[in-house]
Amino acid sequence: MASYSHSIGAVTYRFADLKELMAKASPARSGDFLAEIAAGNDSERVAAQMALADVELSRFLEEPLVPYEIDEVTRLIIDTHDKAAFAPVSHLTVGGFRDWLLSDSADGRSLRSLAPGLTPEMAAAVTKIMRVQDLILVAQKIRVVTRFRNSLGLPGRLSTRLQPNHPTDDPVGIAASILDGLLYGNGDAVIGINPATDSTASICALLEMLDAVIQRYEIPTQSCVLTHVTTSIEAINRGVPLDLVFQSIAGTEAANASFGVSLEILQEGYQAGLSLNRGSLGQNLMYFETGQGSALSANAHHGLDQQTCEARAYGVARHFNPLLVNTVVGFIGPEYLYNGKQIIRAGLEDHFCGKLLGVPMGCDICYTNHAEADQDDMDTLLTLLGVAGVNFIMGIPGSDDVMLNYQTTSFHDALYARKTLGLKPAPEFEQWLAKMGIFTQTDGQIHFGDTLPPAFRQALTQLERANTS
């Protein structure tokens, strides 16, 4: 196993192995300090970044950061690596790879072809020597398009997950949030509920309600109840109408075990979802959520820095051809991402790494109430991700999730991003919005209909009656 070093002035900094080098080269964040693997000062961090820039990309195939013998995620990454796809950049160092990514030679087509040849560790390494503008410039070149009942990730499009969570899974409250979100043009990525309980009966009832809404109004979107993959499998076995199979995932076998999953269980969920054949345009049907710090919080990081662990989660995700993947970037708390600056940087890193690896990346632009962050920080990250070409964001009433108790992006925030950046919803969903008279979008300007759609007026009346009774 090679060691690495770099001198700054009269001081030579030495790094025992590639794992330590990666950790010390990472931009400062609280999770790596908590794990006691971060650089001790800025000079050591710069020395590590300079040493890392000289490491050949092929080194990551020769020196796995988590041993092959003990970790099925490492085995997946190594065993599925596409050597032919890697060949065009196999001679490059990490620094040379950064230069190539920023060049005109790295266009959308070449980056799509390259994705199967990159390991998550290669993607994570190059982020550590990139500025924010570099992460945005490269990510916006890459389009990862997926399809189920509509087309997500196309150029000039920004989709949203309509997140109508309720602290008691009350159907009236959930329905009111769905109606509100649709009227603001939200929900083309998915109408997805985080359930308050993991009761199988309750999950099945929510799935049936969501399917009824989509069928009644002929909405070209998909639904999901964000329950454990094994509960989704059970719902499928019961004949319940289920569109997307959800699971939180991480970048090591041990971290995934803390979620109660393995690659075998994920494969079982994937096959169960495919068996329903519910997609009208495609069969991308997995929905994964991730977040920097999840492996460390489970004491399952193997001494790896949290951003590299996160990138490895995308290596898991891409194996199952997902429709949606999003980093819930500030959700775990300030122990892992302390403030707005760290959250913003992490969100852009995650989006970049996911897109570079061929994953359809979205972002839950969020923070907890005890973090040193506020909604201004989220506006900044939202704008930067919009420029970078993020596939989707969250849409929640008033930015405040009353069930999960954290702050994220609102229905209005999607309108802001679409108006400011000239972005549109998924094309099929855009046509539905126009058909329903909710709004049209021309020349980057959103124009709302003059009246509430008749079908929704009736639904609103029903909700008011249900609420008063």
mmCIF file of all heavy atoms in Angstrom, residues 359-380:
data_model
loop_
_atom_site.group_PDB
_atom_site.id
_atom_site.type_symbol
_atom_site.label_atom_id
_atom_site.label_comp_id
_atom_site.label_asym_id
_atom_site.label_seq_id
_atom_site.Cartn_x
_atom_site.Cartn_y
_atom_site.Cartn_z
ATOM 1 N N VAL A 359 -26.065 9.032 -12.407
ATOM 2 C CA VAL A 359 -27.218 8.895 -11.521
ATOM 3 C C VAL A 359 -28.125 10.123 -11.671
ATOM 4 O O VAL A 359 -27.637 11.256 -11.730
ATOM 5 C CB VAL A 359 -26.747 8.747 -10.059
ATOM 6 C CG1 VAL A 359 -27.912 8.800 -9.085
ATOM 7 C CG2 VAL A 359 -25.978 7.438 -9.889
ATOM 8 N N PRO A 360 -29.460 9.936 -11.717
ATOM 9 C CA PRO A 360 -30.396 11.059 -11.868
ATOM 10 C C PRO A 360 -30.578 11.808 -10.550
ATOM 11 O O PRO A 360 -31.477 11.534 -9.762
ATOM 12 C CB PRO A 360 -31.696 10.371 -12.297
ATOM 13 C CG PRO A 360 -31.616 9.006 -11.671
ATOM 14 C CD PRO A 360 -30.163 8.634 -11.696
ATOM 15 N N MET A 361 -29.740 12.821 -10.314
ATOM 16 C CA MET A 361 -29.652 13.440 -9.000
ATOM 17 C C MET A 361 -30.624 14.585 -8.780
ATOM 18 O O MET A 361 -30.771 15.483 -9.610
ATOM 19 C CB MET A 361 -28.239 13.979 -8.768
ATOM 20 C CG MET A 361 -27.218 12.909 -8.435
ATOM 21 S SD MET A 361 -27.620 11.921 -6.963
ATOM 22 C CE MET A 361 -27.556 13.172 -5.694
ATOM 23 N N GLY A 362 -31.262 14.517 -7.630
ATOM 24 C CA GLY A 362 -32.004 15.636 -7.090
ATOM 25 C C GLY A 362 -31.421 15.993 -5.740
ATOM 26 O O GLY A 362 -30.437 15.401 -5.286
ATOM 27 N N CYS A 363 -32.022 16.976 -5.081
ATOM 28 C CA CYS A 363 -31.505 17.393 -3.780
ATOM 29 C C CYS A 363 -32.654 17.889 -2.909
ATOM 30 O O CYS A 363 -33.478 18.695 -3.353
ATOM 31 C CB CYS A 363 -30.465 18.501 -3.933
ATOM 32 S SG CYS A 363 -29.676 18.983 -2.372
ATOM 33 N N ASP A 364 -32.709 17.379 -1.696
ATOM 34 C CA ASP A 364 -33.570 17.956 -0.672
ATOM 35 C C ASP A 364 -32.747 19.053 -0.017
ATOM 36 O O ASP A 364 -31.868 18.784 0.811
ATOM 37 C CB ASP A 364 -33.978 16.878 0.338
ATOM 38 C CG ASP A 364 -35.069 17.363 1.285
ATOM 39 O OD1 ASP A 364 -35.243 18.594 1.419
ATOM 40 O OD2 ASP A 364 -35.745 16.521 1.900
ATOM 41 N N ILE A 365 -32.997 20.282 -0.425
ATOM 42 C CA ILE A 365 -32.224 21.444 0.012
ATOM 43 C C ILE A 365 -32.747 21.830 1.387
ATOM 44 O O ILE A 365 -33.767 22.526 1.515
ATOM 45 C CB ILE A 365 -32.382 22.582 -1.007
ATOM 46 C CG1 ILE A 365 -31.913 22.104 -2.388
ATOM 47 C CG2 ILE A 365 -31.635 23.828 -0.564
ATOM 48 C CD1 ILE A 365 -32.368 22.983 -3.534
ATOM 49 N N CYS A 366 -32.066 21.390 2.436
ATOM 50 C CA CYS A 366 -32.702 21.440 3.750
ATOM 51 C C CYS A 366 -31.703 21.655 4.874
ATOM 52 O O CYS A 366 -30.492 21.564 4.694
ATOM 53 C CB CYS A 366 -33.479 20.144 3.992
ATOM 54 S SG CYS A 366 -32.435 18.664 4.041
ATOM 55 N N TYR A 367 -32.253 21.936 6.055
ATOM 56 C CA TYR A 367 -31.451 22.054 7.270
ATOM 57 C C TYR A 367 -32.348 21.793 8.468
ATOM 58 O O TYR A 367 -33.575 21.903 8.392
ATOM 59 C CB TYR A 367 -30.796 23.442 7.380
ATOM 60 C CG TYR A 367 -31.774 24.595 7.492
ATOM 61 C CD1 TYR A 367 -32.056 25.180 8.714
ATOM 62 C CD2 TYR A 367 -32.416 25.102 6.360
ATOM 63 C CE1 TYR A 367 -32.942 26.244 8.823
ATOM 64 C CE2 TYR A 367 -33.306 26.154 6.453
ATOM 65 C CZ TYR A 367 -33.570 26.724 7.687
ATOM 66 O OH TYR A 367 -34.456 27.763 7.783
ATOM 67 N N THR A 368 -31.726 21.411 9.570
ATOM 68 C CA THR A 368 -32.459 21.234 10.819
ATOM 69 C C THR A 368 -32.427 22.537 11.601
ATOM 70 O O THR A 368 -31.571 23.400 11.376
ATOM 71 C CB THR A 368 -31.839 20.111 11.662
ATOM 72 O OG1 THR A 368 -30.464 20.428 11.925
ATOM 73 C CG2 THR A 368 -31.913 18.769 10.925
ATOM 74 N N ASN A 369 -33.349 22.665 12.540
ATOM 75 C CA ASN A 369 -33.493 23.942 13.241
ATOM 76 C C ASN A 369 -32.346 24.250 14.196
ATOM 77 O O ASN A 369 -32.230 25.385 14.664
ATOM 78 C CB ASN A 369 -34.826 23.969 13.992
ATOM 79 C CG ASN A 369 -36.011 24.084 13.062
ATOM 80 O OD1 ASN A 369 -35.996 24.876 12.126
ATOM 81 N ND2 ASN A 369 -37.040 23.287 13.286
ATOM 82 N N HIS A 370 -31.495 23.270 14.506
ATOM 83 C CA HIS A 370 -30.354 23.548 15.386
ATOM 84 C C HIS A 370 -29.051 23.716 14.611
ATOM 85 O O HIS A 370 -27.980 23.796 15.196
ATOM 86 C CB HIS A 370 -30.223 22.466 16.463
ATOM 87 C CG HIS A 370 -29.950 21.082 15.966
ATOM 88 N ND1 HIS A 370 -30.711 20.453 15.012
ATOM 89 C CD2 HIS A 370 -28.976 20.190 16.301
ATOM 90 C CE1 HIS A 370 -30.236 19.235 14.790
ATOM 91 N NE2 HIS A 370 -29.185 19.053 15.551
ATOM 92 N N ALA A 371 -29.124 23.784 13.281
ATOM 93 C CA ALA A 371 -27.934 24.041 12.463
ATOM 94 C C ALA A 371 -27.710 25.542 12.318
ATOM 95 O O ALA A 371 -28.653 26.344 12.422
ATOM 96 C CB ALA A 371 -28.089 23.402 11.096
ATOM 97 N N GLU A 372 -26.473 25.918 12.061
ATOM 98 C CA GLU A 372 -26.150 27.328 11.818
ATOM 99 C C GLU A 372 -26.430 27.643 10.346
ATOM 100 O O GLU A 372 -25.517 27.883 9.553
ATOM 101 C CB GLU A 372 -24.686 27.595 12.174
ATOM 102 C CG GLU A 372 -24.387 27.534 13.656
ATOM 103 C CD GLU A 372 -25.059 28.658 14.418
ATOM 104 O OE1 GLU A 372 -25.131 29.787 13.882
ATOM 105 O OE2 GLU A 372 -25.545 28.407 15.540
ATOM 106 N N ALA A 373 -27.706 27.609 9.992
ATOM 107 C CA ALA A 373 -28.134 27.841 8.612
ATOM 108 C C ALA A 373 -29.521 28.446 8.644
ATOM 109 O O ALA A 373 -30.239 28.369 9.657
ATOM 110 C CB ALA A 373 -28.147 26.528 7.825
ATOM 111 N N ASP A 374 -29.915 29.070 7.547
ATOM 112 C CA ASP A 374 -31.253 29.638 7.456
ATOM 113 C C ASP A 374 -31.748 29.558 6.015
ATOM 114 O O ASP A 374 -31.068 29.021 5.142
ATOM 115 C CB ASP A 374 -31.295 31.075 7.977
ATOM 116 C CG ASP A 374 -30.340 32.017 7.248
ATOM 117 O OD1 ASP A 374 -30.029 31.776 6.052
ATOM 118 O OD2 ASP A 374 -29.882 32.999 7.864
ATOM 119 N N GLN A 375 -32.940 30.124 5.767
ATOM 120 C CA GLN A 375 -33.530 29.981 4.444
ATOM 121 C C GLN A 375 -32.769 30.746 3.370
ATOM 122 O O GLN A 375 -32.828 30.388 2.189
ATOM 123 C CB GLN A 375 -35.006 30.423 4.478
ATOM 124 C CG GLN A 375 -35.899 29.637 3.531
ATOM 125 C CD GLN A 375 -35.984 28.151 3.859
ATOM 126 O OE1 GLN A 375 -35.970 27.774 5.028
ATOM 127 N NE2 GLN A 375 -36.079 27.299 2.849
ATOM 128 N N ASP A 376 -32.006 31.759 3.759
ATOM 129 C CA ASP A 376 -31.165 32.441 2.777
ATOM 130 C C ASP A 376 -30.109 31.486 2.214
ATOM 131 O O ASP A 376 -29.798 31.508 1.020
ATOM 132 C CB ASP A 376 -30.474 33.656 3.409
ATOM 133 C CG ASP A 376 -31.428 34.830 3.605
ATOM 134 O OD1 ASP A 376 -32.522 34.806 3.005
ATOM 135 O OD2 ASP A 376 -31.069 35.758 4.349
ATOM 136 N N ASP A 377 -29.546 30.650 3.092
ATOM 137 C CA ASP A 377 -28.588 29.648 2.618
ATOM 138 C C ASP A 377 -29.253 28.681 1.645
ATOM 139 O O ASP A 377 -28.654 28.271 0.647
ATOM 140 C CB ASP A 377 -28.018 28.859 3.803
ATOM 141 C CG ASP A 377 -27.193 29.715 4.740
ATOM 142 O OD1 ASP A 377 -26.359 30.488 4.249
ATOM 143 O OD2 ASP A 377 -27.395 29.620 5.966
ATOM 144 N N MET A 378 -30.495 28.310 1.954
ATOM 145 C CA MET A 378 -31.194 27.375 1.074
ATOM 146 C C MET A 378 -31.506 28.032 -0.278
ATOM 147 O O MET A 378 -31.440 27.379 -1.318
ATOM 148 C CB MET A 378 -32.480 26.875 1.732
ATOM 149 C CG MET A 378 -32.264 26.140 3.057
ATOM 150 S SD MET A 378 -31.087 24.756 2.976
ATOM 151 C CE MET A 378 -29.606 25.513 3.702
ATOM 152 N N ASP A 379 -31.853 29.324 -0.270
ATOM 153 C CA ASP A 379 -32.072 30.032 -1.529
ATOM 154 C C ASP A 379 -30.803 30.023 -2.384
ATOM 155 O O ASP A 379 -30.861 29.875 -3.615
ATOM 156 C CB ASP A 379 -32.489 31.479 -1.259
ATOM 157 C CG ASP A 379 -33.923 31.595 -0.760
ATOM 158 O OD1 ASP A 379 -34.650 30.592 -0.810
ATOM 159 O OD2 ASP A 379 -34.302 32.692 -0.316
ATOM 160 N N THR A 380 -29.667 30.199 -1.721
ATOM 161 C CA THR A 380 -28.391 30.184 -2.441
ATOM 162 C C THR A 380 -28.141 28.820 -3.070
ATOM 163 O O THR A 380 -27.811 28.721 -4.266
ATOM 164 C CB THR A 380 -27.240 30.546 -1.488
ATOM 165 O OG1 THR A 380 -27.459 31.854 -0.958
ATOM 166 C CG2 THR A 380 -25.910 30.496 -2.208
#
